[in-house]
Amino acid sequence: MSHNTFGHLFRVTTWGESHGPAIGCVVDGTPPGIRFSEAGIQAFLDRRRPGQSRYTTQRQEPDQVRVLSGVVPGEAEGELVATGTPIALEIQNVDQRSKDYSDIAQRYRPGHADITYDIKYGVRDHRGGGRSSARETATRVAAGAIARLVVPGLTVRAALVQIGTIAIDRSRWDWSEIDRNPFFCPDAETAKRWADHLDAVRKAGSSVGAIVEVVAEGVPAGLGAPVYGKLDADIAAGLMSINAVKGVEIGDGFEAAQLTGEDNADEIRTGPDGQPQFLSNHAGGVLGGISTGQPVVARFAVKPTSSILTPRRSIDAAGAEVDVMTKGRHDPCVGIRAVPIGEAMVACALADHYLRHRGQTGRI
Amino acid sequence: MSHNTFGHLFRVTTWGESHGPAIGCVVDGTPPGIRFSEAGIQAFLDRRRPGQSRYTTQRQEPDQVRVLSGVVPGEAEGELVATGTPIALEIQNVDQRSKDYSDIAQRYRPGHADITYDIKYGVRDHRGGGRSSARETATRVAAGAIARLVVPGLTVRAALVQIGTIAIDRSRWDWSEIDRNPFFCPDAETAKRWADHLDAVRKAGSSVGAIVEVVAEGVPAGLGAPVYGKLDADIAAGLMSINAVKGVEIGDGFEAAQLTGEDNADEIRTGPDGQPQFLSNHAGGVLGGISTGQPVVARFAVKPTSSILTPRRSIDAAGAEVDVMTKGRHDPCVGIRAVPIGEAMVACALADHYLRHRGQTGRI
Amino acid sequence: MSHNTFGHLFRVTTWGESHGPAIGCVVDGTPPGIRFSEAGIQAFLDRRRPGQSRYTTQRQEPDQVRVLSGVVPGEAEGELVATGTPIALEIQNVDQRSKDYSDIAQRYRPGHADITYDIKYGVRDHRGGGRSSARETATRVAAGAIARLVVPGLTVRAALVQIGTIAIDRSRWDWSEIDRNPFFCPDAETAKRWADHLDAVRKAGSSVGAIVEVVAEGVPAGLGAPVYGKLDADIAAGLMSINAVKGVEIGDGFEAAQLTGEDNADEIRTGPDGQPQFLSNHAGGVLGGISTGQPVVARFAVKPTSSILTPRRSIDAAGAEVDVMTKGRHDPCVGIRAVPIGEAMVACALADHYLRHRGQTGRI
Amino acid sequence: MSHNTFGHLFRVTTWGESHGPAIGCVVDGTPPGIRFSEAGIQAFLDRRRPGQSRYTTQRQEPDQVRVLSGVVPGEAEGELVATGTPIALEIQNVDQRSKDYSDIAQRYRPGHADITYDIKYGVRDHRGGGRSSARETATRVAAGAIARLVVPGLTVRAALVQIGTIAIDRSRWDWSEIDRNPFFCPDAETAKRWADHLDAVRKAGSSVGAIVEVVAEGVPAGLGAPVYGKLDADIAAGLMSINAVKGVEIGDGFEAAQLTGEDNADEIRTGPDGQPQFLSNHAGGVLGGISTGQPVVARFAVKPTSSILTPRRSIDAAGAEVDVMTKGRHDPCVGIRAVPIGEAMVACALADHYLRHRGQTGRI
């Protein structure tokens, strides 16, 4: 994975900061003939868009995507057909208030990338966090909307499964709940508890972490590779590359450390269709770096945003010791908006491995 | 990360199966002038070598490394000087007993990559697990021994911090204990409990998972990149690419989900040397994908090996339903030997990012 | 070199077709602190711009570049400072006349990529040649303007040295002539002959090939690598990737085949500054894939454009045999506009190798 | 193209110097199920092997290849079946006479990479030229033997078409002559003239350049990509990466500069099979970076080796001015042995693009 590019045959290169004129990405390697539309991409972007509830930043970002290349018009209204050449996607930045950030231009927010950018580059776009802004992730969601179409029959969905110390009750998991609450929560009762909790967090000017679970269904068996080019290694890289993510799991993840070999092994029978049928999915759909045909299940942990109203001890660019608090409009729980981003990264990894598998083996 | 290559400027390509004549790797991009020796690499390999206690597989693998290219002799006895060209490292395979595996040639071990290899490739080296064998990881440890030398002043150490449900007591952490017990355990008392537990697991023909923690000290600030080429994303990919790993964390990892922004933010003061001094390290040494100069802390979860003596339900290559148990000589806890491998992958990621950072910015 | 990306540490990804809303590129890996301006990039684009004389296509393409990301404002008017994050450059398409191309939508122009695009992708943007349009090269020139700044002290210039069978007289080479004629010709007398010749070619609705020579001065010694990552191999790839290029040479190129070892060897003395001083430059500044410190000299051959007014035998997309002639506004000699593009590709290769060399060796 | 790796999906990484214990390569991405044998690879290596006539170096290098990984035994004697995992190929070095090189350890041969290696790396394996030795190319030939099998129906052949100023007569081209003379010359009469000429060159302790032509037949239409990932750009990079190569052409190459659009355009009719049938092949089988289905034709120029007996002016590593002549056993015309190497590089590029095309488009 290079500086700003994800993937090998299906490659996404993103660019842009929150306070420049636009952000965007180049999706290279899309199979020719794939059909999509700006409206279809927009639907995914709208799920990530801030300002939709009081639990996300109140910035207004219409995030209207434009397709600038790599397509010809299809027959249907608004339909686009990929030509196989690079698809450039672009989103204008509209609601920038640079003055909001003036007082943190020279002061490093604890827990934020301000200081490491300055150390690394010696120059930094402090407005809105520059490249570290969650805004970059809008372009990932746009790319993911195309990635989903690369693997026939693929469905990638994600849910928020924990905010702070409050986890969902998995026995109540209902995918249809996801769009009925502002948290992408699959458990209606937990969603209510989260609402109360986040109201308190928000009022305190604080923030809180979260855990997201991504489930990809319809993944063909055989995607991945045995050693470094493992499907799960690339998913891990993709998810860990999302802002504020500090942990990634596949299948049972860290729980697997506590299992015995007997418990962990997913037994196999032959299904009615003559295909292998696994009796459980501790593996999360990946064995030896290669997909089994079961759902691919990944989880990732999002730390609380470092933009809080409580003053914290820090230094400024000149090394002087200061106290820092972050005004402006921020998410009390960035984990919420990470849900569609996690879906996008898993979709991109699957699209890339689908093409790589077809390339090397010709078996799909 | 390509099929079998890890890294960009410092690139490691591994090859080999446990039952061919040899395994090896090509380390490309080593800075010229780096001095090392076969004995120095061997020291790291010896730590990973099986058969050193009753808690690892009883296979005898001397794992004698040879350096075949990329060096000229140095002045000291056995000293080698890197020329900047590819360094080929090779280890002969000696203790192969192919017959041990005859009865699993056609039967898929539940929880093992047997079945996904067959689905993906349609042909498979079943002897010793082929490419999925832990044996491949010896070449990573060898490469890691060179990677460590690329970053001046770098120290990378790892410890086993949990076996099954038994975690160490962090208040007793003592790095000097690591080499005094067969588990790389930094806590002498927990090591005793693990010994008892693993004796029972081994006698039962079972296996158990574990958690490894890697700590890299002396990491210069500034390594990494803001988006996909994040230091932590590449570390996550490297660790997830180790056999049997199902989860990866940086810093507080999944615990970060439970923190508030106040708790999570590592406050900063100016140290006696005029440099930024962090008052805590929840971030695990990485902010916004870039190293802070603090220790880089990563953890990974290793599932229990799927080679167990208890019969499990499965199918064979023809789709017939069978029961499978794995005779042969296996590790009751592969997490133990994963300790030096985890060190190696972190060292490789740091070496690569050190060169990339120097390349782009010239600031180190 | 991937689908649409050139370079490793300094990476250029281009996108866009001549008849979409815009074209552009993402320049990733620029060292932070590099200072440039839109006007500075524009100056290079203006040299490539069509419609400046009767010898290039009469399309009016103002080719106004915008910098969308990766910079903060500098102190001087219009000055931009690279932050080290991806720099997105964009050029709107303005003078599109899709109807000009209607009659070749289904008919393959002999010598053109129409047919191979259709075979490869099964779908094609026929308007203006889609991705095969020379228009894509505007983005390369823009990227090259930044690449030039990456290597301190670098100068990259190119000249047209042959049109059809009329070559320049090298004894009259004068770089200052380059901008005084519409051909980038360093020999004023030959420029006059070319003018007459091209007038005839243009009136006949025909086209003609050309040879471009690129000279890079101020290239530090040591850039490149011994085997595949050779500086000259990457320059060859970059130049051969320009539309219509069919041959590439370094130094004496194909003439070297006729030399003896005595003639070919560039003898070396110690210069007044104590540095190696080569007495000739048959090598074109590259020995064993690595720069010598002498000027890097590369030449490339551009075939005549296939868009001509003379009917040629061909087939249409349905396989029916047809005659094809290309109306519309085309270059009688695309080699002219290839001059700044060749400079850009050499600059990009040098920038990439400069960063790679600094990364691996730290010696510059 | 990275330091020592060629290709993307079909990737070849080479290592080794002429005076270490061995040289080798790792071939990654081979489709599973491909069948080959050590003897089959050996046949290609034997063609490149020196010491077979008085026109190549008299070093005796048996160049016996071993396959160390990535295969399982096939049914036939000696048959190997690729498993899809990395194939390691290794060749022991046997006839090393390090003392031959003692007097050039500190003296830079004009025209040789000695000096640039020292400048770049500051340390160098001077024995046999280290990594710049033609010996590295044996591993390319071995890799090429596998690459040929990746594209069904592919034939890649090459011939020497010019030595010094003596070119073949193309009207006498006869592929069956290739193996009847020590020059891979397709024209028996020219081969005789070359024999006389090279005898004189050899006796004079001199050397001479040459031109090689590679022809690949059975290349499916559609391989390549429109912009940087062009088939011809990757072929150019591969050929230019061969030692001593200074120029590369596709199809008419530099001659295309002299053609008009009418002459250059390969007209198209519909063949008896209903497929497009080109009436000429000026394009060399590549249009817009994508294969047409016609034979891919590439040529490259090899400079005379710099190892000659005539003293030339140079400097030593300390900067002192010296005269240098190269004793030892060298090729009077390295172009001869470049013939099978050129085949190998074209085969590797085609194999890679075949897999990439299948991956992205699924159309083959």
Side-chain angles (χ1 to χ4, degrees):
Chain A
M1 203 160 45
S2 180
H3 308 302
N4 290 279
T5 299
F6 184 70
H8 290 254
L9 271 192
F10 183 85
R11 298 163 62 84
V12 178
T13 301
T14 72
W15 57 268
E17 289 85 25
S18 63
H19 283 64
I23 58 174
C25 66
V26 183
V27 180
D28 198 4
T30 306
I34 296 259
R35 286 161 192 271
F36 62 101
S37 66
E38 289 187 348
I41 300 174
Q42 195 63 45
F44 288 104
L45 279 171
D46 289 348
R47 295 179 72 219
R48 194 210 69 98
R49 190 153 50 86
Q52 303 192 91
S53 80
R54 67 181 181 275
Y55 306 108
T56 55
T57 170
Q58 294 306 299
R59 276 194 300 273
Q60 293 301 318
E61 299 172 348
D63 279 358
Q64 195 70 36
V65 70
R66 286 183 70 206
V67 178
L68 298 184
S69 69
V71 295
V72 289
E75 296 78 24
E77 171 73 20
E79 187 185 50
L80 302 170
V81 183
T83 59
T85 61
I87 300 173
L89 304 175
E90 193 169 296
I91 301 167
Q92 301 295 313
N93 287 328
V94 294
D95 182 33
Q96 311 155 11
R97 302 191 197 169
S98 293
K99 65 180 184 304
D100 280 352
Y101 297 95
S102 55
D103 54 343
I104 56 148
Q106 301 299 322
R107 291 154 171 252
Y108 300 130
R109 284 165 287 179
H112 199 278
D114 298 335
I115 189 169
T116 49
Y117 277 41
D118 255 9
I119 291 171
K120 181 178 187 75
Y121 297 120
V123 56
R124 174 170 59 97
D125 187 353
H126 68 272
R127 299 164 303 168
R131 191 72 177 142
S132 73
S133 164
R135 199 150 167 63
E136 182 269 344
T137 58
T139 66
R140 304 184 186 215
V141 172
I146 296 173
R148 292 165 188 270
L149 304 171
V150 170
V151 185
L154 176 69
T155 305
V156 184
R157 292 183 292 188
L160 203 63
V161 298
Q162 186 172 326
I163 287 183
T165 56
I166 309 170
I168 62 161
D169 179 338
R170 284 178 172 269
S171 70
R172 288 195 297 255
W173 190 297
D174 177 0
W175 279 113
S176 66
E177 279 298 327
I178 294 286
D179 295 323
R180 294 196 197 120
N181 60 68
F183 308 111
F184 303 105
C185 181
D187 165 9
E189 293 190 34
T190 299
K192 288 177 207 153
R193 293 181 59 202
W194 288 351
D196 292 341
H197 183 56
L198 279 187
D199 278 335
V201 166
R202 190 169 51 86
K203 281 170 190 160
S206 182
S207 64
V208 68
I211 298 178
V212 178
E213 181 165 323
V214 187
V215 180
E217 292 165 292
V219 178
L223 309 194
V227 180
Y228 298 120
K230 288 185 164 174
L231 177 59
D232 38 358
D234 281 342
I235 288 175
L239 295 176
M240 193 67 94
S241 80
I242 300 172
N243 309 38
V245 172
K246 302 302 285 186
V248 179
E249 296 182 320
I250 305 292
D252 282 3
F254 278 86
E255 290 297 315
Q258 306 189 16
L259 298 180
T260 63
E262 290 77 12
D263 295 334
N264 179 69
D266 299 310
E267 295 187 297
I268 319 172
R269 300 278 82 176
T270 298
D273 58 352
Q275 294 302 303
Q277 185 175 327
F278 292 88
L279 306 185
S280 56
N281 191 13
H282 295 284
V286 186
L287 283 175
I290 299 170
S291 63
T292 62
Q294 288 193 284
V296 170
V297 180
R299 264 180 311 284
F300 59 99
V302 184
K303 71 177 184 184
T305 178
S306 53
S307 298
I308 51 177
L309 286 175
T310 309
R312 308 300 294 165
R313 287 177 290 175
S314 186
I315 59 173
D316 65 17
E321 300 192 335
V322 296
D323 278 3
V324 171
M325 59 176 285
T326 314
K327 296 174 206 158
R329 300 156 297 167
H330 298 287
D331 288 289
C333 179
V334 285
I336 300 171
R337 288 165 62 205
V339 170
I341 304 162
E343 292 178 2
M345 295 314 297
V346 170
C348 287
L350 289 168
D352 187 36
H353 277 281
Y354 181 83
L355 300 186
R356 289 161 70 178
H357 179 56
R358 182 163 69 183
Q360 189 188 356
T361 71
R363 289 171 74 87
I364 46 176
Chain B
M1 202 158 47
S2 180
H3 307 302
N4 290 279
T5 299
F6 183 71
H8 291 255
L9 271 192
F10 182 85
R11 296 163 63 85
V12 178
T13 301
T14 72
W15 57 267
E17 290 85 23
S18 63
H19 283 63
I23 59 174
C25 66
V26 183
V27 180
D28 198 5
T30 306
I34 295 256
R35 285 160 192 272
F36 62 101
S37 67
E38 288 187 349
I41 300 175
Q42 194 63 45
F44 286 103
L45 279 170
D46 289 347
R47 297 179 71 219
R48 193 211 71 98
R49 191 153 50 86
Q52 303 193 90
S53 80
R54 66 182 182 274
Y55 306 108
T56 55
T57 171
Q58 295 304 302
R59 277 194 301 273
Q60 294 301 320
E61 300 171 350
D63 279 0
Q64 195 70 37
V65 71
R66 285 183 70 205
V67 178
L68 298 184
S69 68
V71 294
V72 289
E75 297 76 24
E77 172 72 19
E79 187 185 50
L80 302 170
V81 183
T83 60
T85 61
I87 299 172
L89 304 174
E90 192 168 297
I91 301 167
Q92 301 296 313
N93 287 327
V94 293
D95 183 33
Q96 309 156 12
R97 303 190 196 167
S98 292
K99 64 180 183 304
D100 280 352
Y101 298 94
S102 55
D103 56 342
I104 55 147
Q106 301 300 323
R107 292 156 170 249
Y108 299 130
R109 284 166 286 179
H112 198 277
D114 299 335
I115 189 169
T116 50
Y117 276 43
D118 256 7
I119 291 171
K120 181 178 187 76
Y121 297 120
V123 56
R124 174 170 59 97
D125 187 354
H126 67 273
R127 300 164 301 169
R131 191 73 176 140
S132 73
S133 164
R135 197 148 169 64
E136 182 268 345
T137 58
T139 65
R140 303 185 186 213
V141 172
I146 296 174
R148 290 166 189 269
L149 304 170
V150 170
V151 185
L154 177 69
T155 305
V156 183
R157 294 183 290 189
L160 203 64
V161 298
Q162 186 171 326
I163 288 183
T165 57
I166 310 171
I168 62 160
D169 179 339
R170 286 180 170 268
S171 70
R172 289 195 296 254
W173 189 298
D174 176 1
W175 279 112
S176 65
E177 279 298 326
I178 294 286
D179 295 322
R180 295 198 195 119
N181 61 67
F183 310 110
F184 303 105
C185 181
D187 165 8
E189 293 190 33
T190 299
K192 288 177 205 152
R193 294 181 60 201
W194 287 352
D196 292 341
H197 182 55
L198 280 188
D199 277 335
V201 166
R202 189 169 52 86
K203 281 169 191 159
S206 182
S207 64
V208 67
I211 297 178
V212 178
E213 180 164 323
V214 187
V215 180
E217 291 165 293
V219 179
L223 309 194
V227 180
Y228 297 120
K230 288 184 164 173
L231 177 59
D232 40 357
D234 281 341
I235 287 174
L239 295 176
M240 194 67 96
S241 80
I242 300 172
N243 310 38
V245 172
K246 303 302 285 186
V248 179
E249 294 181 321
I250 305 292
D252 281 2
F254 278 86
E255 291 297 316
Q258 305 190 17
L259 298 180
T260 62
E262 290 76 11
D263 294 333
N264 179 70
D266 299 310
E267 294 186 298
I268 319 172
R269 299 279 83 177
T270 298
D273 58 353
Q275 293 302 304
Q277 185 175 326
F278 291 89
L279 306 186
S280 56
N281 191 13
H282 296 284
V286 186
L287 282 176
I290 298 171
S291 63
T292 62
Q294 288 193 283
V296 170
V297 181
R299 265 180 310 285
F300 59 99
V302 185
K303 71 176 185 184
T305 178
S306 53
S307 297
I308 51 177
L309 287 176
T310 310
R312 307 300 292 167
R313 289 177 288 174
S314 187
I315 60 174
D316 66 16
E321 301 191 335
V322 294
D323 277 3
V324 171
M325 58 176 284
T326 314
K327 294 174 209 159
R329 299 157 296 167
H330 298 288
D331 288 290
C333 178
V334 285
I336 300 171
R337 287 166 62 205
V339 170
I341 305 163
E343 292 177 1
M345 296 313 296
V346 170
C348 287
L350 289 169
D352 187 36
H353 277 281
Y354 180 83
L355 300 186
R356 289 161 70 178
H357 178 55
R358 182 165 68 184
Q360 189 188 356
T361 71
R363 288 171 73 87
I364 48 175
Chain C
M1 202 158 45
S2 180
H3 308 302
N4 290 280
T5 299
F6 183 70
H8 290 254
L9 271 192
F10 183 85
R11 298 162 63 83
V12 178
T13 301
T14 72
W15 56 268
E17 290 85 24
S18 64
H19 283 63
I23 59 174
C25 65
V26 183
V27 180
D28 198 5
T30 306
I34 296 257
R35 283 159 193 274
F36 62 101
S37 66
E38 288 187 349
I41 300 174
Q42 194 63 45
F44 287 104
L45 279 170
D46 288 348
R47 296 179 71 218
R48 193 210 70 98
R49 190 152 51 85
Q52 303 193 91
S53 80
R54 65 182 182 275
Y55 306 108
T56 54
T57 171
Q58 294 306 299
R59 276 194 301 273
Q60 294 301 318
E61 299 171 350
D63 279 358
Q64 195 70 36
V65 69
R66 284 183 70 207
V67 178
L68 298 184
S69 67
V71 295
V72 290
E75 295 77 24
E77 172 72 20
E79 187 184 51
L80 302 171
V81 183
T83 59
T85 61
I87 299 172
L89 303 174
E90 192 168 298
I91 300 167
Q92 301 295 314
N93 287 328
V94 294
D95 183 32
Q96 310 155 12
R97 301 190 197 170
S98 292
K99 64 180 184 304
D100 281 352
Y101 298 95
S102 55
D103 55 342
I104 56 147
Q106 301 300 322
R107 292 155 170 250
Y108 300 130
R109 285 166 287 179
H112 198 278
D114 298 336
I115 189 170
T116 50
Y117 277 42
D118 256 7
I119 291 171
K120 181 178 187 74
Y121 297 120
V123 56
R124 174 170 58 97
D125 187 354
H126 67 272
R127 300 164 302 169
R131 191 72 178 141
S132 72
S133 164
R135 198 147 169 66
E136 183 269 344
T137 58
T139 66
R140 304 185 186 214
V141 172
I146 295 174
R148 291 165 188 270
L149 304 171
V150 170
V151 185
L154 177 70
T155 305
V156 184
R157 294 183 291 189
L160 203 63
V161 298
Q162 187 172 326
I163 287 183
T165 56
I166 310 171
I168 62 161
D169 179 338
R170 285 179 170 269
S171 70
R172 289 195 297 255
W173 189 298
D174 175 1
W175 279 113
S176 65
E177 279 298 327
I178 295 285
D179 296 322
R180 295 196 196 119
N181 61 68
F183 310 110
F184 303 105
C185 181
D187 164 9
E189 294 190 34
T190 299
K192 288 177 205 152
R193 294 181 59 204
W194 287 351
D196 292 341
H197 182 55
L198 279 188
D199 277 336
V201 166
R202 189 169 51 87
K203 281 169 190 159
S206 183
S207 64
V208 68
I211 297 179
V212 178
E213 181 165 322
V214 187
V215 180
E217 292 166 292
V219 178
L223 309 195
V227 180
Y228 298 120
K230 288 184 164 175
L231 177 60
D232 40 358
D234 281 341
I235 288 175
L239 295 176
M240 193 66 96
S241 80
I242 300 172
N243 309 37
V245 172
K246 301 303 285 186
V248 179
E249 296 181 321
I250 305 291
D252 282 2
F254 278 87
E255 290 297 316
Q258 306 189 18
L259 298 180
T260 62
E262 290 76 12
D263 294 333
N264 180 68
D266 300 310
E267 294 186 298
I268 319 173
R269 299 278 82 176
T270 298
D273 58 353
Q275 293 302 304
Q277 184 174 328
F278 292 90
L279 305 186
S280 56
N281 190 13
H282 296 282
V286 186
L287 283 175
I290 298 170
S291 62
T292 62
Q294 287 193 285
V296 170
V297 181
R299 263 179 312 283
F300 59 98
V302 185
K303 71 177 183 183
T305 178
S306 52
S307 297
I308 51 177
L309 286 175
T310 309
R312 308 300 294 166
R313 288 176 290 174
S314 186
I315 59 174
D316 66 17
E321 301 191 334
V322 295
D323 278 2
V324 171
M325 58 175 285
T326 314
K327 295 175 207 156
R329 300 156 297 166
H330 299 287
D331 288 290
C333 178
V334 285
I336 300 171
R337 287 166 62 206
V339 170
I341 305 163
E343 293 178 1
M345 296 314 297
V346 170
C348 287
L350 290 169
D352 187 36
H353 277 282
Y354 181 83
L355 300 187
R356 289 161 71 178
H357 178 56
R358 182 164 70 184
Q360 190 189 354
T361 71
R363 288 171 73 88
I364 49 176
Chain D
M1 202 159 46
S2 180
H3 308 301
N4 289 279
T5 299
F6 184 70
H8 290 255
L9 271 192
F10 183 85
R11 297 162 64 85
V12 178
T13 301
T14 72
W15 56 268
E17 290 85 24
S18 63
H19 282 63
I23 57 174
C25 66
V26 184
V27 180
D28 198 6
T30 307
I34 296 257
R35 285 160 192 272
F36 61 102
S37 66
E38 287 187 349
I41 300 175
Q42 194 64 46
F44 287 104
L45 278 171
D46 289 347
R47 297 179 71 220
R48 193 210 70 97
R49 191 153 49 87
Q52 303 192 91
S53 80
R54 65 182 183 275
Y55 306 108
T56 55
T57 171
Q58 294 306 299
R59 276 194 301 272
Q60 294 301 320
E61 299 172 349
D63 278 0
Q64 196 69 37
V65 70
R66 286 183 69 207
V67 178
L68 299 184
S69 68
V71 295
V72 290
E75 296 77 24
E77 172 73 20
E79 187 184 51
L80 302 171
V81 183
T83 59
T85 61
I87 299 173
L89 303 175
E90 192 168 297
I91 300 167
Q92 301 295 315
N93 287 328
V94 293
D95 183 33
Q96 310 156 14
R97 303 191 197 169
S98 292
K99 65 181 185 301
D100 280 353
Y101 297 95
S102 56
D103 56 340
I104 55 147
Q106 301 300 322
R107 291 155 170 250
Y108 300 130
R109 285 165 286 179
H112 199 277
D114 298 335
I115 188 169
T116 49
Y117 277 41
D118 256 8
I119 290 171
K120 182 178 186 74
Y121 296 120
V123 55
R124 174 170 59 98
D125 187 354
H126 67 272
R127 301 163 302 168
R131 191 74 178 139
S132 73
S133 163
R135 198 148 169 64
E136 183 269 343
T137 58
T139 65
R140 303 185 185 215
V141 172
I146 296 174
R148 290 164 189 270
L149 304 170
V150 170
V151 185
L154 177 69
T155 304
V156 183
R157 294 183 290 189
L160 203 63
V161 298
Q162 186 171 325
I163 288 184
T165 56
I166 310 170
I168 62 162
D169 179 339
R170 286 179 170 269
S171 70
R172 290 196 295 256
W173 190 298
D174 177 359
W175 279 113
S176 65
E177 279 297 328
I178 294 287
D179 296 322
R180 294 197 197 118
N181 60 68
F183 310 110
F184 304 104
C185 180
D187 165 8
E189 294 191 32
T190 299
K192 289 178 205 152
R193 294 181 59 202
W194 288 351
D196 293 340
H197 183 54
L198 279 188
D199 278 335
V201 166
R202 190 169 50 87
K203 282 170 191 159
S206 183
S207 64
V208 68
I211 297 178
V212 178
E213 180 164 323
V214 187
V215 180
E217 291 165 293
V219 178
L223 309 195
V227 180
Y228 298 119
K230 288 184 164 175
L231 177 59
D232 39 358
D234 281 341
I235 288 175
L239 294 176
M240 194 65 96
S241 80
I242 300 173
N243 309 36
V245 172
K246 301 303 285 185
V248 179
E249 295 182 321
I250 305 291
D252 282 1
F254 278 86
E255 291 297 316
Q258 305 189 17
L259 298 180
T260 62
E262 290 76 11
D263 294 333
N264 179 69
D266 299 309
E267 294 186 299
I268 319 171
R269 299 279 83 176
T270 298
D273 58 354
Q275 294 302 304
Q277 184 175 328
F278 291 89
L279 305 186
S280 55
N281 190 14
H282 296 283
V286 186
L287 283 175
I290 299 170
S291 62
T292 62
Q294 288 193 285
V296 170
V297 181
R299 265 179 311 284
F300 59 98
V302 184
K303 70 176 183 183
T305 177
S306 53
S307 297
I308 51 177
L309 287 175
T310 308
R312 307 300 292 166
R313 288 176 290 174
S314 186
I315 59 173
D316 66 16
E321 301 192 334
V322 295
D323 277 4
V324 171
M325 59 176 284
T326 314
K327 295 175 207 155
R329 300 157 297 168
H330 297 287
D331 288 291
C333 178
V334 285
I336 300 171
R337 288 166 62 207
V339 170
I341 305 163
E343 292 178 1
M345 294 314 296
V346 170
C348 287
L350 289 168
D352 187 36
H353 277 282
Y354 181 83
L355 300 186
R356 288 161 71 178
H357 179 56
R358 182 164 70 185
Q360 188 187 357
T361 71
R363 289 171 73 89
I364 48 176

